[in-house]
Amino acid sequence: MAALAAYGVDDFNDISASNGTDSPLARNAGSFEYTASVEGYDYDISEPVVFWGTDRTGGNVALSTSFHDDTVTFSSFTGGVAAFGGDFFVTDINGTPRAGDIVLTVTDADGTFMDPITGATEGTFRGYISTNLIVSATFDSPGAYDFSNVDNLVLGIPGAVPEPASFAGIAALAALGATALRRRR
């Protein structure tokens, strides 16, 4: 987050964990607007897939889908989004988080970046910053009966990244502060 000039977070706590929510969804992360859609088809009941909330800890909801091999797409970003991230993980059919594989794909004007994540857990955060506006991002789980989830989706605008010389200055100040603290004790 330190590399962002501005950002917003969508925590998905308004998504129902007991009823499906139709796709596509018009959402916002702070002042940034976007569309979330799910692609797939639930062959068991011959109906299009929908979003579901995964209620993990009494009201902390993550965005998930109704079928295990569905792909979630984020697109139609507003506000100059060039940074994208979130907590990506999988759950079993009962909504219990477990380690699993996720494939994230982020597309901007320069092309597409694919990031396969092995053993993603609830605490697995991935963030991407581009020099161009982000066009879309997708994620899904290639594992059998692993349901893809995202929580705390971050959209933002990159800020100035400190020069390496600045890092050296910051480290020197931290060392001086630590030395002063030790001397005082």
Side-chain angles (χ1 to χ4, degrees), residues 22 64 66 69 108 175 184:
D22 290 337
S64 188
S66 61
D69 59 356
D108 68 7
R184 205 175 321 139

Side-chain angles (χ1 to χ4, degrees), residues 9-25:
V9 178
D10 189 351
D11 63 14
F12 301 109
N13 287 338
D14 61 327
I15 300 292
S16 175
S18 57
N19 294 307
T21 302
D22 290 337
S23 172
L25 294 174

